Each structure stands twice: as structure tokens, then as C-alpha cells.
Amino acid sequence: MQAIVETVFDTVYLISVITIGILMILKSKGNNQYKLFGIMAIVLGVGDSFHLIPRALALCTTGLENFTTALGIGKFITSITMTIFYIILYYVWRLRYHVKGQKGVTAVVYVLSALRISLCLFPQNQWLSEVSPISWGIYRNIPFALLGLLIIVLFYKSAKENHDISFKWMWLTIVLSFGFYIPVVLFADAIPMVGMLMIPKTCAYVWTVVIGYKDMQRS
């Protein structure tokens, strides 16, 4: 049952976000904000596919333990693409609210992103092992969480100051995604059922993408 439910859910998710991303690029009509949002959605979907497709194959065939290498590589790639996702979302914020300057904020975004990616490259992460060290899961996610927090604050303040109804809840989608993701990092190895929180986390990211798509349709 888990194999069927997860596979169907992940298939619908990947097809949906990638399709929305392509549509946003094609229908952006020269609007760089929507074009960038579309690229962001594709990065999200393609990046997650490196982990979700091997996971679906594992669940539907011989089990997760026989796909350790593929799943590890997929998690590594997804860690990188999710960082890129937030860098792009930062530039969506700049375009949407016509932000100029803010070199300090931009520097912080890039420093946190570089630190996150650098930590992901350390062999101590043991990406290809069946059980990875929790400590390194925490280390590499500290700059990632700080990056997410920064993006949350930026969207919350700007949407409120500009009375932006369309992006009113953008900050909340990011809060929810991290809220569901952090327990998985900390407890999924010890309590496998905690991994199910990745489903609502994924739904939060879909909400993020849908917010941008609906706003484009209204424009």
C-alpha cells in the first residue's frame, strides 16, 4: 500500500510542478518574474525527481535497502537543487517588489547557499551509506534553515507593506515546508514513520508554485 500511495503521489507531484513551470515560462510574455518562477518550479521538480524516482522504483521492486546508492545520490542532488530553488526565489522577491541595491542581503543569501552546498560535499555526510550521520544532517541544514528564514522574513514584510494579496501566504508555505522537513532530518532514521512528513512538506512546495502560477493567470 505504501508503495502505491507514495508512487502515485510523487508522480502527480513531479508532473504537476514541472508542467506548471514549463507553462509559466511559455506564458510569461516577457515578464521576468514569472519566467524565473517557472524556472524555479522546474528546478524543484527535476531536482526532487533524482530522489523520488529511485525511491518509487525501490518501493515497487526489491526494497529501499537495495537502492542505497541511487537514493543517496538522489538526496545529494536534491540538497543542491533545493538550495538553488531558494536563490531563485530570492530573485523572484527582488523582481516582484522592485528591490534595488540590498547588496548585504544578496551577500548573505550567497554565503549561506555556498556554505550549505560546501557542507553537502563533505564525505562525512556518507550519502551512499544506508544510515547517514544525524550530526552532518544537522550541520548542512543549519545554513539552509537560515536561508529559508531569511526568505520567509523578506516575503512576509514585503507582502504586508505592499498589500500583496496574491503573495500574502508565500511566507507560510516556506514555514510549513521547513516545519515538516526538520523532524525528518532529526528523527527519520530512528523512527521511519516520521519520513511521511515529506508528503505535507511536498504539498507546501506545490502551494508555493501554485501561488506564482495563479498570480500569472490573474495578471
Side-chain angles (χ1 to χ4, degrees), residues 197-215:
L197 289 175
M198 293 300 278
I199 291 178
K201 184 218 78 164
T202 300
C203 291
Y205 279 118
V206 172
W207 187 13
T208 302
V209 172
V210 169
I211 285 174
Y213 182 66
K214 285 188 174 181
D215 183 66

Side-chain angles (χ1 to χ4, degrees), residues 51-142:
H51 174 64
L52 295 178
I53 291 175
R55 183 175 175 83
L57 288 172
L59 289 172
C60 294
T61 55
T62 56
L64 297 173
E65 64 277 3
N66 294 312
F67 283 76
T68 300
T69 299
L71 288 169
I73 293 172
K75 285 173 68 177
F76 167 71
I77 292 173
T78 300
S79 296
I80 304 299
T81 55
M82 283 309 307
T83 309
I84 296 171
F85 172 89
Y86 279 104
I87 294 173
I88 298 173
L89 188 55
Y90 168 69
Y91 281 99
V92 168
W93 169 78
R94 290 184 66 94
L95 286 171
R96 184 169 188 84
Y97 300 109
H98 310 289
V99 177
K100 305 295 182 183
Q102 299 278 11
K103 291 182 179 179
V105 177
T106 302
V108 171
V109 168
Y110 277 105
V111 167
L112 290 174
S113 299
L115 187 56
R116 154 76 167 181
I117 293 172
S118 297
L119 287 170
C120 288
L121 296 173
F122 275 73
Q124 288 89 338
N125 287 286
Q126 297 183 35
W127 292 108
L128 305 184
S129 300
E130 191 168 339
V131 179
S132 301
I134 294 177
S135 58
W136 276 86
I138 295 172
Y139 299 154
R140 67 177 179 264
N141 279 296
I142 289 173

Side-chain angles (χ1 to χ4, degrees), residues 33-51:
Q33 178 199 161
Y34 298 133
K35 188 174 183 178
L36 199 58
F37 211 106
I39 293 171
M40 185 183 76
I42 292 173
V43 167
L44 174 67
V46 172
D48 280 357
S49 69
F50 282 95
H51 174 64

